[in-house]
Amino acid sequence: MLNEFVARVLALMLGYAYPAFECFKMMEVGQASIGQLHFWCQYWVIVAILTVFERFFDVFVSWLPLYDETKIAFFIYLWHPKTKGTSWVYAAFLRPLVVQHEPDIEEKLRRFRAKSADLLMFYIKNFTDQGKSMFLELLHMVVSQPNGSSSSTPQPPATPEPSAPPHPITITRSANRPSTSESGFPSEFTGVAADELHLNPEVEKALRASRVNLPRFRHHNRKT
């Protein structure tokens, strides 16, 4: 059994491509006989009807064994010079069936041909509306985008440059305060107002503890 893809390719080549090329050569020569034109017209009528029925009944018959091989063999049987089965299939099956239902087929095709212009205009209008809508959406997307790729890409926040750590004790002198104290301690710790000291929290805590213990230290020195 042939692979499904290979079978379809062979059916297209042997059932459509090769007969179409033979018809092309016959038309280009310009001296084709009436019998050849009649033969190829019969062939394409058979293939067209077979294709229409295949679209409706393929789901029911495609599972049959050797279905693709049978279809390829039937195409070859129709146009091969030794068999030329087109004439026999057309005269024995197709022509009696079409002649019997020709008035009904002609009436339905005439109605369909009358509505084909409206159907064509409907598809053209639908295609135009959809194309206009897609164009407006695309234009809106292009306009809504920011100018330049740099503005659309978020930039990482700038990292501040590292600076020297602040000194634990920052002291501001006042013009009205003496620079030294009687106890001999540096004036930065004794002669500066509380609102003039800007201390690190840990240093400020240690300094307060030293101030609390300062009277005890002075009393102990006087006794000794």
Side-chain angles (χ1 to χ4, degrees), residues 68-138:
D68 294 327
E69 290 81 354
T70 304
K71 185 168 63 174
I72 295 172
F74 180 70
F75 283 142
I76 298 175
Y77 167 76
L78 289 177
W79 55 257
H80 199 273
K82 292 184 178 181
T83 57
K84 290 190 177 181
T86 296
S87 302
W88 183 82
V89 172
Y90 181 85
F93 294 98
L94 186 60
R95 185 176 182 277
L97 181 64
V98 174
V99 169
Q100 182 181 358
H101 301 281
E102 184 177 1
D104 298 335
I105 297 175
E106 181 67 26
E107 180 65 20
K108 292 180 180 179
L109 290 178
R110 186 181 63 82
R111 294 178 182 177
F112 184 76
R113 186 170 57 248
K115 295 180 179 179
S116 60
D118 298 336
L119 187 64
L120 178 62
M121 294 303 298
F122 170 76
Y123 280 119
I124 291 177
K125 183 178 182 303
N126 190 21
F127 176 77
T128 305
D129 294 342
Q130 290 185 359
K132 186 185 300 183
S133 175
M134 293 176 61
F135 175 75
L136 292 177
E137 290 180 2
L138 181 63

Side-chain angles (χ1 to χ4, degrees), residues 147-155:
N147 297 329
S149 59
S150 60
S151 58
S152 59
T153 307
Q155 298 292 336

Side-chain angles (χ1 to χ4, degrees), residues 42 50 56 85 119-120 130-131 138 150 168 180 195 199 212 217 219:
Q42 290 176 348
L50 181 65
F56 291 99
L119 187 64
L120 178 62
Q130 290 185 359
L138 181 63
S150 60
T180 58
D195 57 350
L199 307 177
V212 171
F217 178 76
H219 181 69

Side-chain angles (χ1 to χ4, degrees), residues 151-172:
S151 58
S152 59
T153 307
Q155 298 292 336
T159 17
E161 295 183 358
S163 56
H167 196 273
I169 304 177
T170 305
I171 302 175
T172 306

